[in-house]
Amino acid sequence: MPANMKAATSAELTSQLEYLRADLTKVNATIELIGKPAITKAEQLVKAITDANEQLAVALANEAEAERQARLAGFGNITVTVAYPSNYEGNLLRAIFTVEYTRLQYNMAFRAAVMKPHKLIGFSALPADALEYLVEKRPEAIPAEISNLAPGDPWEAFRRYFLALRRGRLDSYAIAA
């Protein structure tokens, strides 16, 4: 794509696909009447539709990634602290995780988005995009107790942690290095 051309949006590509499919329907209807020229045109339209579908898939993926990055950019900071009830020191299933983060939120008094602090107890109360921010942008803030469940793979570590909470036990394979 030339540098001065902007990438087509998914809406533009979808519209283009609708026109191409309509043209293909018209050309297919004339194949018996016109013959080889109509077949050639139909083949060109099929190729154009295939190309447009590929461009649409790329555009949708790019738009989704841009939306995700914009959503995650709304976070300022995140910290997680761990505390254990007495007599349960070191028991991951009894650990109390306090999650503090800042996030852009619209403030009616200021008529603008401002960073607002949030504090939650436990990961189950954490919004999905805040968890995604923690794992994707700030994996160093993940408590070692959880990170050690799957070193180097924070998503797998959290999967194992949530699975252990649901089952009520931490399987020995979950701690494999």
Side-chain angles (χ1 to χ4, degrees), residues 22-81:
D23 288 347
L24 181 60
T25 301
K26 291 175 190 173
V27 169
N28 280 338
T30 64
I31 285 179
E32 281 188 33
L33 182 65
I34 298 175
K36 182 124 174 87
I39 293 172
T40 302
K41 184 63 176 177
E43 290 170 351
Q44 290 171 352
L45 287 171
V46 167
K47 183 181 179 336
I49 289 171
T50 302
D51 292 345
N53 276 326
E54 290 173 6
Q55 290 174 1
L56 178 60
V58 169
L60 288 171
N62 289 342
E63 289 171 8
E65 181 60 20
E67 184 275 328
R68 185 179 87 79
Q69 291 299 332
R71 187 171 28 86
L72 295 181
F75 287 89
N77 189 19
I78 192 163
T79 58
V80 181
T81 55

Side-chain angles (χ1 to χ4, degrees), residues 83-96:
Y84 292 96
S86 60
N87 297 332
Y88 290 105
E89 198 67 35
N91 184 338
L92 181 61
L93 298 180
R94 300 288 187 179
I96 301 167

Side-chain angles (χ1 to χ4, degrees), residues 14-28:
T14 301
S15 176
Q16 179 184 1
L17 269 169
E18 288 176 16
Y19 284 117
L20 289 170
R21 287 183 181 132
D23 288 347
L24 181 60
T25 301
K26 291 175 190 173
V27 169
N28 280 338

